[in-house]
Amino acid sequence: MSDYLPPIWVSLRTVLTATSITFILGILAARWLVRYSGRLKDILDGLFILPMVLPPTVVGYALLMFFGVHGPAGQFLANFGFKMVFSWWGTVVAAVIMSFPLMYMTARGAFEQVEPNLQDAARTLGASEWRVFWTVTLPMAWPGVVAGTVLALARTLGEFGATLMLAGNIPGRTTTIPVAIYFAIQSGDNHRAGVLTMVVLAFSLTSLIFIGFWKRRSKRKGMLGN
Amino acid sequence: MLRARIKRSLPGFELNVELSLERELMAILGPSGSGKTMTLQCIAGLTKPDEGYIELDGQVLFDSTARVNLPPQKRRVGFVFQNYALFPLMTVAENIAYSIRCLPKSEIRAKISHLLNIMNISPLSERYPRQLSAGQQQRAAIARALAPDPAMLLLDEPFSALDPQLKERLELELLALQQGYQGSMLLVTHDLAEGYKLGGRVAVYHGGSIAQCDTRQRVFSTPVNRTVARLTGVHNFMDGEISRLEPPFGWVNIPAWNMQLKAHLPASGLSIGRQVVLGIRPEYIQINPPARATNMIGARVLQAVEGIASVTYRLLVDGDWRERHLLNSLLPKADEQLLAEKEPCQLHLPPEHLIVIPE
């Protein structure tokens, strides 16, 4: 049994850390782009969604180049004695990049659905732009934001390709559940792969059921548009 | 006191208006798409004009030449939205308190109860907007807009979602509220009766500009052109030419009917030979009057539509078979028999109700 725990533990820490980061970055990016009306809007939007349509190995390769010994971020971080490649933080970075589009897209859609009159009303009542966001936009968009968070969380849990390329397979440090399943199959340990698969399956299904439940509850409370 | 000059271009539309308000309630009247709501948004700072100048109580809110553009937060302009835009996740009291959270707690409480009181919604303070009727929502929205003591109140079609009896009552309440309010109020409506009842002065919008802005009596009795007349409820028009002056009346020759009509002339100098349009409201055409008078013409009923307290007739004037001069009349239902279709009748167009519009 203790054999199964290290990947579960690594995944748990990665999922929680990465989802928290994605949550904040996704909301900030969504809020910024909803308000931004410059010429680069479509380009930025495409850039934010890009990781979702790229093969994970392509993202992994790009991250490896970026954070590698000769990459710009790699050289910068080396000044502080920090190495991203083959470290636990590598699993977090890969998971954040891959889950960010889901969070961003869902949050942006939720923000755009908030009736503009409500925000205008808050403005004429003297609320600063940040107060409008905290007291009107975010609460009204909250069901969508939560749905995006759950989707992002499921994506970080399932992240495999980019993680393997950037963080590798170091048991107890960078071996997440999906990576462990892959190497279990490779070495013929079907039982180990099966148990870990069941863990992921149970978790993902629970998340989806939770989203459905949450949406119904929010509708009753008058959120989620009209 | 508001002074505003606003220019804003959109593809296929240009808003270009000038407004000046004292401590009064002015109604903006006009068809949809004429720029009424955009004017309010420009004053509140929710939309930026391309060009112009807006000043409220001596404070410059917007000045395109001096590059001044105060954000809505700093304008002290209250806004009542068409759909009220109450915050759905806050109670009525929380909605009202939204703009005054910096005051001491006791003052906030006193202010909320005062506003709830004057808007007659005291028992509803802990309700959420979805638990309120449309009329209650409107009262809550006005209370919320008044909370920060705005220097001016803008109301965007506040009565359009209400049923007739409720609308009537809330209109009276708004007039009473205006009596005690120290700022200006600007109300947008497309309802003629509402505009007349509420607005001391009325600005008639058409295609992004103000066709006429004057006291309601003058706008409705002496419209400056055919468009204003039509927008203010004049449905019948006759082209003619002034043939004789008899101050304060004049005679207008109507070639299509081959007859002369006597009409009250506006003060401005109209001379003989001047092309004019005569207009008359449907309410003022009399059918089969008891005694003969001036301005009688023979006609026939084309269509009669019976309402609750009135009858609408479409009338074809004798000798005018081109059907260009159909008249619409709206009469209070009398005891006598309704006129049937095709029935001949005599029409009286009272000279004092004929509107003379210079072309």
Side-chain angles (χ1 to χ4, degrees):
Chain A
M1 184 65 208
S2 61
D3 202 24
Y4 301 119
L5 283 181
I8 294 176
W9 178 235
V10 170
S11 268
L12 194 67
R13 285 197 302 152
T14 301
V15 162
L16 290 181
T17 314
T19 308
S20 308
I21 296 171
T22 302
F23 177 78
I24 294 166
L25 288 184
I27 287 178
L28 289 178
R31 171 185 143 84
W32 180 61
L33 214 69
V34 165
R35 293 159 47 86
Y36 176 80
S37 56
R39 238 177 305 162
L40 297 176
K41 186 163 182 148
D42 288 335
I43 295 174
L44 287 166
D45 189 51
L47 219 57
F48 287 162
I49 298 174
L50 197 60
M52 203 170 73
V53 295
L54 288 178
T57 46
V58 170
V59 176
Y61 177 75
L63 287 175
L64 207 52
M65 290 297 103
F66 189 62
F67 285 106
V69 201
H70 302 296
Q75 284 181 343
F76 175 75
L77 290 173
N79 293 335
F80 305 94
F82 182 80
K83 204 168 134 265
M84 179 69 76
V85 179
F86 299 131
S87 77
W88 175 73
W89 280 103
T91 67
V92 174
V93 168
V96 166
I97 298 290
M98 295 306 292
S99 64
F100 175 83
L102 284 169
M103 184 70 213
Y104 160 76
M105 273 190 359
T106 323
R108 186 181 161 183
F111 290 157
E112 280 171 342
Q113 284 221 334
V114 176
E115 211 202 312
N117 273 355
L118 291 178
Q119 298 163 42
D120 280 345
R123 289 186 186 109
T124 62
L125 291 168
S128 67
E129 290 302 317
W130 272 110
R131 185 163 180 242
V132 173
F133 179 71
W134 281 114
T135 58
V136 177
T137 314
L138 193 58
M140 290 304 288
W142 191 240
V145 169
V146 170
T149 311
V150 177
L151 288 174
L153 194 139
R155 186 67 188 78
T156 58
L157 180 66
E159 172 43 34
F160 171 71
T163 307
L164 185 61
M165 290 188 72
L166 186 64
N169 173 27
I170 305 170
R173 279 188 42 216
T174 69
T175 307
T176 59
I177 296 177
V179 174
I181 291 173
Y182 176 75
F183 283 100
I185 296 282
Q186 288 286 301
S187 60
D189 190 348
N190 282 356
H191 179 69
R192 180 179 158 84
V195 171
L196 290 172
T197 299
M198 294 309 287
V199 171
V200 174
L201 218 59
F203 181 84
S204 300
L205 196 59
T206 314
S207 308
L208 290 177
I209 292 171
F210 173 76
I211 293 186
F213 166 77
W214 175 271
K215 273 196 174 153
R216 236 175 313 120
R217 202 185 78 120
S218 315
K219 256 204 186 108
R220 275 205 307 277
K221 284 179 74 182
M223 290 185 270
L224 275 179
N226 302 310
Chain B
M1 197 194 123
L2 174 89
R3 281 204 295 140
R5 189 162 47 74
I6 299 166
K7 242 189 200 177
R8 181 161 151 73
S9 299
L10 293 178
F13 177 77
E14 195 192 55
L15 178 71
N16 189 354
V17 294
E18 248 186 281
L19 285 170
S20 175
L21 267 82
E22 303 299 320
R23 188 189 159 277
E24 63 180 323
L25 173 47
M26 184 194 268
I28 296 182
L29 194 65
S32 43
S34 58
K36 298 175 302 210
T37 298
M38 197 191 280
T39 302
L40 297 195
Q41 286 177 333
C42 286
I43 294 172
L46 302 172
T47 295
K48 192 176 160 222
D50 298 329
E51 215 187 300
Y53 179 85
I54 304 172
E55 178 193 302
L56 179 61
D57 288 349
Q59 189 188 16
V60 178
L61 304 183
F62 179 83
D63 186 347
S64 54
T65 46
R67 294 184 168 273
V68 176
N69 183 22
L70 286 192
Q73 287 88 344
K74 296 225 167 78
R75 294 202 175 192
R76 299 192 58 227
V77 171
F79 204 120
V80 177
F81 291 82
Q82 188 171 6
N83 62 357
Y84 312 133
L86 292 166
F87 305 130
L89 304 176
M90 300 181 202
T91 62
V92 171
E94 286 166 348
N95 265 282
I96 297 173
Y98 191 80
S99 60
I100 49 174
R101 65 185 179 135
C102 294
L103 299 177
K105 271 238 159 68
S106 61
E107 245 174 84
I108 294 178
R109 233 172 296 131
K111 190 143 203 184
I112 292 175
S113 70
H114 170 68
L115 286 166
L116 289 168
N117 220 353
I118 59 170
M119 295 314 298
N120 290 319
I121 45 173
S122 296
L124 308 174
S125 67
E126 295 312 310
R127 297 254 192 110
Y128 285 90
R130 66 176 184 283
Q131 299 167 318
L132 302 180
S133 70
Q136 291 164 340
Q137 285 190 26
Q138 197 223 52
R139 291 186 168 126
I142 294 179
R144 182 180 71 174
L146 288 174
D149 295 322
M152 164 164 214
L153 192 62
L154 307 175
L155 301 117
D156 190 5
E157 307 227 8
F159 303 107
S160 59
L162 305 177
D163 59 68
Q165 297 112 318
L166 189 60
K167 182 176 147 144
E168 185 103 30
R169 215 169 84 213
L170 285 168
E171 282 170 356
L172 295 178
E173 286 186 16
L174 183 70
L175 279 175
L177 183 75
Q178 198 260 331
Q179 297 296 313
Y181 182 60
Q182 71 288 7
S184 330
M185 286 189 184
L186 193 53
L187 175 130
V188 156
T189 180
H190 62 253
D191 182 326
L192 297 180
E194 184 182 309
Y196 192 89
K197 234 186 290 182
L198 297 176
R201 286 196 300 149
V202 174
V204 181
Y205 269 49
H206 183 252
S209 50
I210 297 180
Q212 188 172 4
C213 179
D214 211 330
T215 64
R216 58 181 177 182
Q217 290 86 357
R218 274 206 287 269
V219 167
F220 279 74
S221 68
T222 51
V224 291
N225 55 38
R226 196 195 279 247
T227 305
V228 174
R230 192 166 41 75
L231 291 173
T232 53
V234 178
H235 294 326
N236 304 302
F237 294 102
M238 297 141 271
D239 295 311
E241 180 189 317
I242 296 183
S243 58
R244 192 145 53 88
L245 294 175
E246 208 172 87
F249 291 95
W251 289 84
V252 178
N253 184 35
I254 310 290
W257 296 345
N258 197 19
M259 71 176 295
Q260 310 236 340
L261 290 176
K262 189 179 177 187
H264 193 285
L265 292 183
S268 57
L270 287 169
S271 51
I272 291 175
R274 181 73 193 264
Q275 299 290 319
V276 292
V277 177
L278 288 184
I280 187 165
R281 290 174 195 285
E283 298 87 334
Y284 290 140
I285 295 182
Q286 293 173 11
I287 299 183
N288 293 336
R292 276 207 70 81
T294 46
N295 293 355
M296 299 284 285
I297 46 174
R300 252 197 290 178
V301 176
L302 266 188
Q303 194 184 13
V305 180
E306 193 180 337
I308 301 167
S310 60
V311 191
T312 307
Y313 290 111
R314 289 179 74 221
L315 304 155
L316 181 61
V317 174
D318 288 345
D320 183 9
W321 296 107
R322 288 169 300 168
E323 287 210 23
R324 277 187 54 228
H325 288 274
L326 285 176
L327 294 178
N328 291 293
S329 102
L330 183 77
L331 292 177
K333 239 192 294 195
D335 297 332
E336 62 251 44
Q337 197 83 43
L338 297 178
L339 292 176
E341 280 168 25
K342 299 227 171 94
E343 198 168 327
C345 56
Q346 284 292 312
L347 305 181
H348 174 45
L349 313 179
E352 64 276 18
H353 289 309
L354 275 174
I355 297 167
V356 181
I357 306 159
E359 274 289 77

